[in-house]
């Protein structure tokens, strides 16, 4: 039987060589040698990454019977428990709660009290900053922190959340406004709108 001598002293029969070449042609025609990117269709990127409040999101005013109001995204679910209200959509959340205090909170008083309670009650809370800020409703203390979400009731999955918490005081009352979203979400403008919409009634 005729022989084909290949480079490197590798010897292959013509019959085997033909069989190998034919198999190569078949695999090439079936796309087996195409790059993975060419075989799989590109998935369109999401219009809004997980946790981002859309730039064109409509907001509606919510007025609490406890004497304050704020703007919230239209269409979000709402639950009311006593003097607290919660708006949420997937992992995005807005919480507002009425409280009492003898004096306006300061960075020092928040570090001594509020943060300890927050770390005790939350899921793996890590405070990253505490600052005095000014909102439309008046002076406030802002707590920037991260936490784990509550476990998903079906999958038991948790994700990391970013929070901005504002504490505003007036006449012996406080409103604690907590804004939360998946870590990495870009809600700077929307959170600024929500926090500055907070008003006493």
């Amino acid at each position: 039987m005729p022989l084909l001598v290949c480079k490197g002293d590798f010897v292959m029969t013509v019959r085997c060589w033909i069989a190998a070449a034919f198999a190569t042609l078949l695999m090439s025609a079936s796309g087996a040698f195409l790059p993975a990117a060419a075989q799989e269709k590109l998935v369109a990127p999401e219009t809004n990454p997980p946790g981002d409040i859309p730039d064109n999101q409509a907001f509606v005013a919510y007025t609490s019977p406890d004497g304050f109001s704020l703007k919230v995204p239209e269409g979000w679910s709402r639950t009311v428990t006593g003097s607290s209200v919660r708006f949420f959509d997937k992992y995005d959340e807005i919480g507002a709660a009425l409280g009492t205090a003898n004096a306006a909170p300061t960075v020092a008083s928040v570090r001594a009290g509020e943060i300890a309670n927050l770390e005790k009650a939350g899921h793996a809370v890590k405070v990253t900053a505490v600052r005095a800020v000014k909102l439309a409703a008046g002076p406030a203390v802002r707590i920037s922190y991260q936490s784990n979400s509550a476990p998903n009731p079906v999958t038991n999955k948790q994700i990391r959340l970013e929070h901005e918490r504002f504490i505003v005081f007036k006449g012996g009352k406080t409103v604690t406004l907590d804004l939360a979203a998946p870590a990495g979400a870009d809600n700077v403008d929307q959170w600024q709108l929500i926090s500055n919409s907070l008003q006493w009634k």
Side-chain angles (χ1 to χ4, degrees):
M1 181 175 292
L3 296 177
L4 176 66
V5 179
C6 298
K7 187 176 180 180
D9 293 330
F10 179 78
V11 180
M12 180 186 289
T13 64
V14 171
R15 180 177 297 173
C16 291
W17 182 86
I18 293 173
F22 185 68
T24 300
L25 288 172
L26 285 177
M27 294 175 72
S28 179
S30 66
F33 289 149
L34 290 176
Q39 295 184 53
E40 186 173 334
K41 292 183 179 179
L42 294 176
V43 177
E46 294 189 34
T47 302
N48 301 297
D52 281 14
I53 299 175
D55 292 337
N56 61 351
Q57 172 69 54
F59 287 81
V60 295
Y62 167 78
T63 299
S64 167
D66 294 308
F68 65 89
S69 67
L70 73 158
K71 290 182 179 180
V72 297
E74 186 176 29
W76 282 25
S77 300
R78 182 180 75 186
T79 59
V80 177
T81 305
S83 58
S84 300
V85 61
R86 173 175 170 257
F87 301 88
F88 56 95
D89 179 58
K90 301 181 179 68
Y91 287 104
D92 286 283
E93 184 172 329
I94 301 168
L98 184 73
T100 59
N102 294 325
T106 64
V107 170
S109 68
V110 167
R111 286 188 183 277
E114 179 75 13
I115 289 179
N117 295 332
L118 184 62
E119 291 175 338
K120 186 176 180 179
H123 296 274
V125 170
K126 180 181 179 181
V127 176
T128 57
V130 182
R131 299 186 181 93
V133 297
K134 290 185 178 181
L135 298 180
V141 175
R142 182 180 70 191
I143 307 170
S144 302
Y145 69 100
Q146 294 185 348
S147 76
N148 291 341
S149 68
N152 183 289
V154 177
T155 65
N156 206 40
K157 178 183 176 181
Q158 291 178 286
I159 68 168
R160 198 66 176 162
L161 300 175
E162 290 179 337
H163 300 253
E164 293 287 352
R165 174 172 289 198
F166 300 86
I167 306 173
V168 185
F169 173 87
K170 181 181 180 181
K173 295 182 178 180
T174 61
V175 171
T176 300
L177 174 66
D178 195 283
L179 310 175
D186 181 10
N187 290 319
V188 174
D189 293 339
Q190 291 86 343
W191 282 7
Q192 186 174 25
L193 183 156
I194 294 167
S195 58
N196 275 306
S197 73
L198 178 63
Q199 297 288 343
W200 292 101
K201 295 295 184 181

